[in-house]
Amino acid sequence: MRIALSQIVSGPRPERNLAVLREQAHRAAAADARLIVFPEAAMACFGTPLAPLAEPLDGPWATEVRQIAEDAGLVVVAGMFTPAPDGRVTNTLLATGPGVETSYDKIHLYDAFGYAESDSVAPGSRVVTFDLDGVRIGLATCYDVRFPELFQAHADAGARLSLLPASWGAGPGKREQWELLIRARALDATVWLAAVGQADPAATGTLAAEGADPTAPTGIGHSAVVGPDGTVRQRLGATPGLLVAEIDTDEVTAVRRRVSVLANRRLGRDVNAPARAARTPRPAHTGSARRARG
């Protein structure tokens, strides 16, 4: 499967960001990608008041993303914000395109490094996968990368590829943490991991909007595709770019035969059950979702 990672700098105006998504999706389609992944907060950058911008999944912004996917003839995964019942928003990934229509609400919120995402964002509760060309794909967002059980849940559901849109916070050691964590999660679950972040605004001379929260995580770039053995296969730097990569799902099978970490787990599974390769107890379908277990 050929996929594309679009590392962009989102601004505070959703309609302008749609123009970037449209251009990048058509570039990816011209490169024969079946899937393009945009960062978290592709709708509008963090530091922007989110509640006034949030729209439901049948609202105009998501509808236009669906049109972009249809026109380009590929699946688009993009970060947006949808209204939550308590007045906050949810940090949502929309996955849409030929044969695919689902969404994922970020489970683990970024209450760290002086920022409190939960002040304005409500957490999700479901593990979400979808199928494309016979390949099951899991969805996760940014801070989720610090929680290996989510990626193992993807693998348990039959996923061979996990997508990780992000808007990573800058700071001392943060790039090193990003690179370590994305490699570790690929190894934990023995899946391909496509991690696509917002490009570094500072690298493009983009200034924060007046009144924006200076602690908001607005991106550092360094998107990457990591193989199921934890090796980085392709990567970008800090500036915007489009990365196109081939995903060989047969490699997942080969790695799991050599390193059966999923089958060898003792915690979080029935230790009396016979060891076996990770599989889906009940086959899911395109756009399937299930509740995360505590």
Side-chain angles (χ1 to χ4, degrees):
M1 177 187 291
R2 181 171 292 181
I3 68 171
L5 280 61
S6 178
Q7 181 171 285
I8 62 174
V9 175
S10 295
R13 297 182 61 177
E15 66 279 7
R16 291 189 177 180
N17 296 327
L18 280 172
V20 177
L21 268 61
R22 185 177 299 107
E23 183 269 335
Q24 291 282 289
H26 283 280
R27 281 186 59 194
D32 295 324
R34 293 287 292 121
L35 165 73
I36 184 169
V37 189
F38 291 97
E40 175 187 27
M43 181 187 201
C45 58
F46 281 110
T48 305
L50 300 178
L53 299 175
E55 295 181 7
L57 287 167
D58 60 355
W61 198 86
T63 298
E64 185 59 29
V65 174
R66 291 186 185 94
Q67 189 63 54
I68 290 169
E70 180 180 341
D71 292 345
L74 45 59
V75 171
V76 173
V77 176
M80 62 178 293
F81 301 101
T82 56
D86 62 3
R88 293 181 292 176
V89 303
T90 53
N91 187 339
T92 301
L93 296 180
L94 171 64
T96 185
V100 174
E101 184 64 38
T102 192
S103 63
Y104 165 72
D105 294 334
K106 183 179 182 182
I107 294 173
H108 304 98
L109 300 182
Y110 181 62
D111 289 356
F113 296 99
Y115 188 76
E117 186 178 12
S118 63
D119 285 351
S120 57
V121 178
S125 61
R126 298 179 302 143
V127 176
V128 177
T129 64
F130 67 90
D131 292 344
L132 176 62
D133 296 343
V135 177
R136 187 150 295 164
I137 300 170
L139 294 175
T141 304
C142 202
Y143 193 60
D144 281 334
V145 77
R146 295 183 182 271
F147 302 87
E149 60 271 20
L150 177 56
F151 298 85
Q152 291 169 345
H154 291 167
D156 289 340
R160 291 176 171 258
L161 168 65
S162 291
L163 307 179
L164 181 72
S167 185
W168 200 250
K174 292 298 297 298
R175 175 184 167 185
E176 290 79 6
Q177 291 178 34
W178 166 254
E179 293 174 342
L180 173 64
L181 287 163
I182 61 175
R183 294 183 65 191
R185 294 300 82 84
L187 273 171
D188 291 335
T190 48
V191 294
W192 285 89
L193 182 63
V196 55
Q198 293 273 349
D200 185 349
T204 63
T206 303
L207 300 177
E210 185 176 353
D213 184 347
T215 66
T218 53
I220 64 166
H222 297 281
S223 302
V225 173
V226 184
D229 61 351
T231 59
V232 176
R233 307 301 175 85
Q234 291 177 247
R235 72 176 84 206
L236 294 172
T239 56
L242 184 71
L243 185 160
V244 179
E246 295 284 350
I247 303 297
D248 179 4
T249 57
D250 289 340
E251 189 175 339
V252 172
T253 302
V255 171
R256 289 179 181 175
R257 284 174 180 160
R258 293 196 304 269
V259 188
S260 303
V261 292
L262 294 170
N264 294 339
R265 284 175 294 173
R266 302 290 291 172
L267 300 178
R269 66 187 296 270
D270 182 358
V271 298
N272 295 314
R276 64 184 69 185
R279 59 176 183 155
T280 311
R282 185 174 56 192
H285 301 285
T286 299
S288 65
R290 60 188 179 87
R291 289 206 174 271
R293 295 180 179 176

